Amino acid sequence: MSEPIFLQPIFQERIWGGTKLDLFGYEIPNDHTGECWAVSAHPNGQSVVKNGPYQGMKLGDLWSAHPELFNSKSAVFPLLTKILDASDDLSVQVHPDDEYAGKHENGELGKTECWYIVDAEPGAAIIYGHEANTKEQLVQMIENGDWDGLLTKVPVKAGDFFYVPSGTIHALGKGIVVLETQQSSDTTYRVYDYDRKDKNGNTRELHLEKAIDVTSVPQAYQPITHDTTKQEGLTVTSFVSNPFFTVQKWEVSGDVSLAGNEKYTIFSVLEGSGSLTAGDQSYALAKGDHFILPAGFGPYRLSGELQIIMSHE
């Protein structure tokens, strides 16, 4: 296939969501829209192909019917790209790894994820990690509700990046918009939810036994460094590369010619506008676009002023 696969996002209402996702040009369904599932084949919300011969197909169906477009050994589409609008604090939570999720969550994948901070209000912060030195201390601090003593807060600003392996206690704070790249999983174990109630007056379920099972100890926050390379028209910041995913930020200014790819590659346009040209075909790119270049896609050119998050297996 010689054209990009553009995808229509799915939107999810959340108690902590807001309206900032409309900054990407989306028609959001309500004023508590917390998540844009931009590139997803997860059963709880699948992206739909917007163009070309597979227009109207769900991404999961395309994965199953046309594996040649992806050149992957994974049984399911393994990644999920989201944009989150944390208008309020998210619950403090932790995710299982593949082994635990496979055993306890009906074969679901584990959830290792990472965040690129798109926007952050002054004073915004995340929770990342905890201060317990042993599992026993972790349990005691949770049982005592010593959240100030347990949870590590980290201030954030636009452009920051955080890698969040499974087993990490974490939460986005209010006033933050992130692009999240994660394993294709919807399994979350809530540790603490600020005792708030949903629209029906009920407190949300916590999952303390499973959360304690999967939380790694100790868990101090340590900033990670990034490598940046430049060529004419393109600056690439490499954030993370591991068995789950590779994630980079591409900043295009002008024109850059790029080689093709053996495996599929995911692109999310966060800022700017421009075009992708392959052969004699050109495709407009704008803020809020998400697309996949299929496996075997040949040489192409990116033009314009663009800020893109690129990811692949």
Side-chain angles (χ1 to χ4, degrees), residues 67-110:
E68 73 279 2
L69 296 177
F70 302 96
N71 187 22
S72 171
K73 295 180 180 179
S74 178
V76 297
F77 191 84
L79 300 181
L80 174 51
T81 300
K82 298 178 181 176
I83 302 178
L84 283 70
D85 171 16
S87 181
D88 199 356
D89 296 323
L90 272 68
S91 62
V92 179
Q93 56 193 247
V94 64
H95 306 301
D97 62 13
D98 287 344
E99 181 180 3
Y100 192 95
K103 185 181 298 184
H104 296 274
E105 304 298 338
N106 299 316
E108 175 95 322
L109 291 177

Side-chain angles (χ1 to χ4, degrees), residues 79 112-114 161-166 181-183 224 239-247 312-313:
L79 300 181
T112 284
E113 62 190 67
C114 59
F161 179 85
F162 297 89
Y163 174 53
V164 188
S166 60
T181 303
Q182 59 160 91
Q183 291 181 269
I224 57 176
F239 289 131
V240 64
S241 186
N242 59 36
F244 303 109
F245 42 64
T246 291
V247 179
H312 59 76
E313 287 184 55

Side-chain angles (χ1 to χ4, degrees), residues 218-252:
Q219 197 178 99
Y221 167 68
Q222 293 182 329
I224 57 176
T225 58
H226 317 303
D227 295 327
T228 300
T229 60
K230 294 185 178 183
Q231 66 185 84
E232 187 173 354
L234 178 66
T235 300
V236 175
T237 303
S238 297
F239 289 131
V240 64
S241 186
N242 59 36
F244 303 109
F245 42 64
T246 291
V247 179
Q248 299 177 340
K249 179 171 69 172
W250 290 15
E251 295 171 280
V252 177

Side-chain angles (χ1 to χ4, degrees), residues 13 15 196-204:
E13 182 176 355
I15 192 172
R196 62 186 162 191
K197 294 178 171 58
D198 63 19
K199 59 186 177 184
N200 297 318
N202 302 312
T203 55
R204 295 199 295 170

Side-chain angles (χ1 to χ4, degrees), residues 31 60 117 149 183 274:
D31 60 3
I117 308 295
Q183 291 181 269

Side-chain angles (χ1 to χ4, degrees), residues 20 23 116-121 124 156-159 175-179:
K20 287 184 179 177
L23 299 175
Y116 176 77
I117 308 295
V118 178
D119 187 54
E121 295 176 2
V156 301
K157 63 183 185 306
I176 300 173
V177 177
V178 304
L179 183 136

Side-chain angles (χ1 to χ4, degrees), residues 286-308:
K287 180 177 180 177
D289 283 343
H290 305 269
F291 62 92
I292 296 171
L293 293 187
F297 196 85
Y300 62 100
R301 188 173 75 251
L302 293 175
S303 304
E305 299 292 327
L306 296 161
Q307 186 182 109
I308 294 169

